[in-house]
Amino acid sequence: MVGELNEILVRLESSLGPLSGAPCELDGGITNRNFRVTLGGEDYVLRRPGKETELLGIDREAERLANVTAAELGFAPEVVLSSRDGLVTRFIACQPVDSSEVAGGVEEIARHLRRFHDSGVGLPARFCVPELLDEYAAIVRERGGELPAHYEPMRDVVARIAAALAPEPERPCHNDLLAGNLIRERGSGRIMLVDWEYAGMGDPRFDLGNLSVNNGFDEATDERLLRAYYGTSPSASQMAVLGLMRVLSDAREAAWAVVQGQISELDFDFAGYAGTHFERLREAVAQPRFEDLLASARD
């Protein structure tokens, strides 16, 4: 990896100027490797894609377009360069946010998401959870792996949810709103969205459920999220859809970890990660409230 990285930096020097100091690997990624580098006196972040990430549904041109759009809207780092070597964005002095801070800033994040969803940018990738679960299962089987026992029941749950949801026009979405993909810019205090690699055209309501479940929102925070996003007090149906999107998010996360266990070279407990998200999904579906959510979403 060191030799390959050095070759990439030499190529980047021709566009961005001479390298200063050694690259510094950034923590936190479980799909790619990210490095802070100084070229031509400016600090950048270089994202090196992980192995066979296209099998995860990642489209690097969609990532670039989404990041460029969000940067123009003012809540993502500027894209400086994109090539086969990876994506280079401008480094932003920032601090990570935890889930409690995400909940505290939910109105700001909701406004960011609404502006991105309404941006009109067309992304050359689709993001559809039922389709992703089918694709991930096929990849695991093609690689000679076995799907865990929870996979088929999970697909049945996803099919029930998909049948209950009224169609929504596809819009550009982020689709990976973990706390680790939100940062707070030092100085301005703005919350910014990073890691756009799963961006694609899909149901914008998934972003809301994905943000909610991955950051442990309670009902009051969910109401704040929807009120800020829609500009009015949420209806019972909108709250129900959000609850179902939380389940879809866990299904996608669990399935993602299953296929990552087959293809990734990173040292990470993907089986444990899948189990955590499946268990949360199972608990949500076991609640009597789940049937009420399906009925209310249909209304």
Side-chain angles (χ1 to χ4, degrees), residues 30 97-103 109 127 174-182 198 206-218 221-222 225 242-243 245-254 256 273 276-278 280-281:
I30 53 175
V97 295
D98 60 21
S99 291
S100 64
E101 290 180 271
V102 173
I109 299 166
F127 185 96
H174 184 286
N175 301 315
D176 195 21
L177 293 163
L178 304 167
N181 291 335
L182 296 113
Y198 289 99
F206 179 85
D207 268 349
L208 304 178
N210 182 247
L211 178 71
S212 172
V213 72
N214 282 326
N215 294 282
F217 287 0
D218 57 18
T221 308
D222 281 343
L225 168 65
L242 181 66
M245 287 297 179
R246 287 171 58 104
V247 177
L248 281 190
S249 175
D250 274 331
R252 177 260 179 174
E253 210 74 21
W256 173 90
Y273 189 89
T276 295
H277 285 275
F278 171 71
R280 192 163 65 184
L281 178 151

Side-chain angles (χ1 to χ4, degrees), residues 9 11-12 20 25 28 37 39 43 63 68 79 98 104 111 125 129-130 140 153 157 162 192-193 211 235 258:
L9 292 174
R11 287 193 288 270
L12 291 178
S20 301
E25 186 162 9
V37 298
L39 293 157
D43 288 338
E63 175 188 17
V68 166
V79 174
D98 60 21
R111 290 190 292 270
V129 174
V140 170
V157 168
M192 306 188 79
L193 279 58
L211 178 71
S235 66
V258 169

Side-chain angles (χ1 to χ4, degrees), residues 16-36:
L16 301 177
L19 176 70
S20 301
C24 174
E25 186 162 9
L26 302 175
D27 295 330
I30 53 175
T31 304
N32 312 286
R33 299 183 69 179
N34 300 292
F35 300 88
R36 179 179 177 180

Side-chain angles (χ1 to χ4, degrees), residues 16-265:
L16 301 177
L19 176 70
S20 301
C24 174
E25 186 162 9
L26 302 175
D27 295 330
I30 53 175
T31 304
N32 312 286
R33 299 183 69 179
N34 300 292
F35 300 88
R36 179 179 177 180
V37 298
T38 303
L39 293 157
E42 300 285 341
D43 288 338
Y44 303 101
V45 174
L46 166 65
R47 177 199 290 281
R48 290 288 298 135
K51 179 185 177 184
E52 298 182 305
T53 54
E54 69 279 359
L55 298 179
L56 300 172
I58 293 172
D59 183 302
R60 295 299 172 185
E61 177 60 10
E63 175 188 17
R64 185 192 69 80
L65 282 172
N67 198 328
V68 166
T69 301
E72 291 173 348
L73 291 171
F75 49 83
E78 176 192 358
V79 174
V80 178
L81 193 66
S82 178
S83 71
R84 60 186 176 86
D85 292 325
L87 185 73
V88 178
T89 56
R90 196 167 298 279
F91 176 81
I92 292 178
C94 65
Q95 60 192 46
V97 295
D98 60 21
S99 291
S100 64
E101 290 180 271
V102 173
V106 70
E107 286 86 0
E108 180 182 1
I109 299 166
R111 290 190 292 270
H112 290 342
L113 290 174
R114 185 59 187 257
R115 291 177 68 204
F116 184 72
H117 294 160
D118 291 346
S119 66
V121 63
L123 303 178
R126 292 187 69 244
F127 185 96
C128 173
V129 174
E131 292 175 6
L132 282 172
L133 264 60
D134 291 344
E135 292 166 8
Y136 289 170
I139 292 167
V140 170
R141 290 181 175 127
E142 288 167 3
R143 299 293 175 105
E146 292 186 6
L147 294 172
H150 63 251
Y151 204 96
E152 288 305 320
M154 183 171 68
R155 290 168 85 175
D156 292 340
V157 168
V158 167
R160 292 189 67 199
I161 292 173
L165 294 173
E168 183 81 3
E170 289 188 347
R171 297 184 184 179
C173 300
H174 184 286
N175 301 315
D176 195 21
L177 293 163
L178 304 167
N181 291 335
L182 296 113
I183 58 175
R184 187 178 296 280
E185 184 179 27
R186 289 183 184 151
S188 72
R190 291 182 303 170
I191 294 179
M192 306 188 79
L193 279 58
V194 297
D195 196 352
W196 292 85
E197 65 182 349
Y198 289 99
M201 304 300 291
D203 190 329
R205 299 170 299 183
F206 179 85
D207 268 349
L208 304 178
N210 182 247
L211 178 71
S212 172
V213 72
N214 282 326
N215 294 282
F217 287 0
D218 57 18
E219 185 172 346
T221 308
D222 281 343
E223 289 181 0
R224 289 170 52 213
L225 168 65
L226 294 183
R227 186 179 298 111
Y229 184 83
Y230 289 112
T232 187
S233 295
S235 66
S237 179
Q238 287 170 332
M239 288 292 290
V241 170
L242 181 66
L244 295 176
M245 287 297 179
R246 287 171 58 104
V247 177
L248 281 190
S249 175
D250 274 331
R252 177 260 179 174
E253 210 74 21
W256 173 90
V258 169
V259 75
Q260 274 283 63
Q262 288 290 314
I263 67 177
S264 179
E265 296 177 332

